[in-house]
Amino acid sequence: MHLTDLNGDLRADYLLVDSAGRVWAWLNGYSDNRFTWRFDGMVASGVGASGTQVRFADLNGDRRADYLVETPDGQIKAWTFHGYVVNQQSDTPMPDAPNTPGSGVGIDPCLLEVANRQDC
């Protein structure tokens, strides 16, 4: 379960990620001191990574969470949400997205600070 803003309305939406990295969303419709959640369906079909590797953060400043995958060696690959759905036609990450620490860097991935990471 993740809470992050998918649609740029500055309210955290509720996301469920399955073991194949697919994501289903409920959009937060908070109004008049009352929470309502609207099911928005599958918003990401996955990119071949397991659900335990999926993270969310707004990397491009559009106020919408982007889809991140943390590899076992600590690299981060990112995909923008295109009208919510991760681009199913391409497994190419977002241009200039962080891919750190990258191969050849001698750092323990468990020492990196990544939100929502499972314990090492």
Side-chain angles (χ1 to χ4, degrees):
M1 186 270 292
H2 299 265
L3 292 169
T4 191
D5 188 3
L6 277 188
N7 58 1
D9 66 0
L10 303 178
R11 293 195 280 284
D13 302 308
Y14 182 91
L15 309 180
L16 287 179
V17 182
D18 74 8
S19 62
R22 295 176 298 226
V23 182
W24 284 266
W26 285 259
L27 300 180
N28 183 343
Y30 183 81
S31 178
D32 298 323
N33 290 326
R34 194 170 149 226
F35 284 97
T36 59
W37 300 95
R38 181 177 60 83
F39 182 61
D40 203 39
M42 183 189 294
V43 296
S45 60
V47 294
S50 85
T52 60
Q53 295 174 278
V54 174
R55 312 282 183 264
F56 300 94
D58 178 11
L59 295 182
N60 59 2
D62 66 357
R63 294 187 178 177
R64 295 181 174 129
D66 299 310
Y67 182 100
L68 313 178
V69 171
E70 181 186 8
T71 64
D73 64 356
Q75 290 188 38
I76 302 291
K77 295 183 180 177
W79 288 260
T80 55
F81 275 105
H82 301 284
Y84 300 132
V85 179
V86 170
N87 186 350
Q88 299 174 14
Q89 305 305 315
S90 171
D91 61 359
T92 304
M94 180 189 305
D96 302 319
N99 276 325
T100 53
S103 60
V105 176
I107 188 168
D108 180 352
C110 292
L111 298 177
L112 296 173
E113 291 186 31
V114 176
N116 300 320
R117 169 187 274 143
Q118 301 293 324
D119 292 335
C120 288

